[in-house]
Amino acid sequence: MIEEALRGLRATVRENVPLSGRTTLRIGGPARFFVEVHDVDALAALLRAGRAEGLPILALGKGSNLLVPDSGFPGVVFTLAGDFLATRIEPPDVVAGSGVSLMSLAVATQKAGLSGLENLSGIPSSLGGAVRINAGSYGSEIFDVLVAVDLVSARGERRTAPAAEIPHGYRWTALLESDDVVSGAVLRLVPKPAEQIAARITEVTAKRRGALPKQPNAGSIFKNPPGLFAGRLLEECGLKGRRVGGAEISPVHANVIVNLGGATAADVGALMDEMKKAAKEKFGIDLVPEIRVLGRTTP
């Protein structure tokens, strides 16, 4: 059992923990097991135990970019704490645990006079989640500054991979197709006056705040097709304000679905189906989800 495998290690295990309060959409049923791990030994033991038990495993960072089924998650959901929240700055490099948020990392590097994370500062993601999908914003991607990634396999084996050896592209990396978990990373930044970095972070934060709705959401639902903007296509389809249950395609941004209160994953899934169908019929374009959709979410 999971509890037995982690006994004596730096981890806490709970059962049937609702995930709705842990995702930015505020949607999701309970996780069969919810584990908080504090160091790489506990993480390795957890992954080995989950594999031995045949349980699906989900790494939960900041809970953004994710749609969890109303029925919940039938396996292990884990979150990173302790050692995974540490940051060490060795100019021009930064060594950080995968649980560190992009905003706190951007602020720490700004104070050290290191530039490179300003455009990513407003993304509500942990470093590990950002690396896994090659998160990006305002023309920058995490792989622009990524040097190396610490990984733990499903067998609990640890290794460090040079970023250059990890296939990646727009909102995608080969890590999405593997069972490896990102436990940390090394970034290489560029010296710059701290006040200039701070000014850009402030600008990016304001832009992001103005571009996204206030209600709970998961950010962009679909990836931008090459040379186009998904939000603009969906706006031309006349979908802004379309509602299903407690979910709505935001009047502020047509590529964002918001939770007006009481929305279910099925509501969001139904809207996603409508968005995809409309873009296909009007433009002949197959939109690809940017958010991670777990399980079956439509009726």
Side-chain angles (χ1 to χ4, degrees):
M1 292 296 292
I2 299 298
E3 296 96 329
E4 294 175 2
L6 295 175
R7 186 166 291 125
L9 296 175
R10 295 175 61 201
T12 58
V13 182
R14 288 185 286 160
E15 295 187 40
N16 299 316
V17 175
L19 297 177
S20 57
R22 298 176 182 274
T23 68
T24 58
L25 256 173
R26 298 293 182 260
I27 290 174
R32 179 178 173 187
F33 295 102
F34 187 86
V35 184
E36 185 177 273
V37 291
H38 291 253
D39 63 23
V40 72
D41 289 337
L43 175 59
L46 173 63
L47 296 178
R48 284 194 299 268
R51 184 172 184 270
E53 293 285 331
L55 295 171
I57 296 180
L58 171 68
L60 183 69
K62 300 303 176 185
S64 61
N65 210 46
L66 181 68
L67 180 63
V68 178
D70 305 311
S71 58
F73 190 74
V76 179
V77 175
F78 71 89
T79 187
L80 301 174
D83 293 355
F84 298 107
L85 302 180
T87 299
R88 188 171 75 253
I89 298 177
E90 302 171 346
D93 290 353
V94 179
V95 182
S98 61
V100 177
S101 74
L102 288 185
M103 177 56 88
S104 64
L105 197 56
V107 170
T109 54
Q110 177 270 324
K111 291 178 179 177
L114 293 175
S115 171
L117 294 176
E118 296 93 316
N119 288 350
L120 308 180
S121 61
I123 300 175
S125 173
S126 64
L127 176 59
V131 168
R132 189 171 176 81
I133 69 165
N134 190 20
S137 182
Y138 301 112
S140 297
E141 297 176 336
I142 193 69
F143 266 72
D144 293 341
V145 296
L146 191 64
V147 175
V149 181
D150 293 327
L151 300 167
V152 183
S153 75
R155 292 182 173 84
E157 300 161 338
R158 310 170 199 179
R159 66 186 177 94
T160 298
E165 295 181 6
I166 300 174
H168 62 277
Y170 171 65
R171 304 299 181 270
W172 174 86
T173 77
L175 296 173
L176 288 169
E177 299 165 16
S178 79
D179 292 325
D180 290 341
V181 173
V182 177
S183 59
V186 179
L187 312 176
R188 183 158 297 152
L189 306 182
V190 179
K192 191 174 183 178
E195 61 272 15
Q196 293 183 24
I197 300 173
R200 179 57 180 167
I201 290 176
T202 299
E203 180 184 1
V204 166
T205 301
K207 279 185 178 180
R208 190 170 183 86
R209 187 179 297 121
L212 292 174
K214 308 300 182 187
Q215 299 97 330
N217 66 83
S220 296
I221 295 294
F222 293 101
K223 297 179 182 181
N224 290 326
L228 300 170
F229 293 99
R232 192 168 298 165
L233 297 176
L234 292 166
E235 184 171 353
E236 291 185 27
C237 290
L239 290 175
K240 277 187 171 181
R242 172 76 178 109
R243 296 185 185 184
V244 172
E248 177 186 59
I249 299 174
S250 173
V252 175
H253 195 310
N255 194 26
V256 176
I257 294 175
V258 299
N259 184 350
L260 297 175
T264 65
D267 295 339
V268 174
L271 283 179
M272 289 180 66
D273 289 344
E274 288 191 31
M275 295 160 80
K276 190 173 176 64
K277 181 180 179 181
K280 180 66 172 179
E281 290 180 349
K282 188 173 181 66
F283 301 105
I285 293 175
D286 288 308
L287 292 178
V288 177
E290 182 167 329
I291 66 169
R292 185 177 181 187
V293 180
L294 302 179
R296 183 183 176 87
T297 57
T298 51

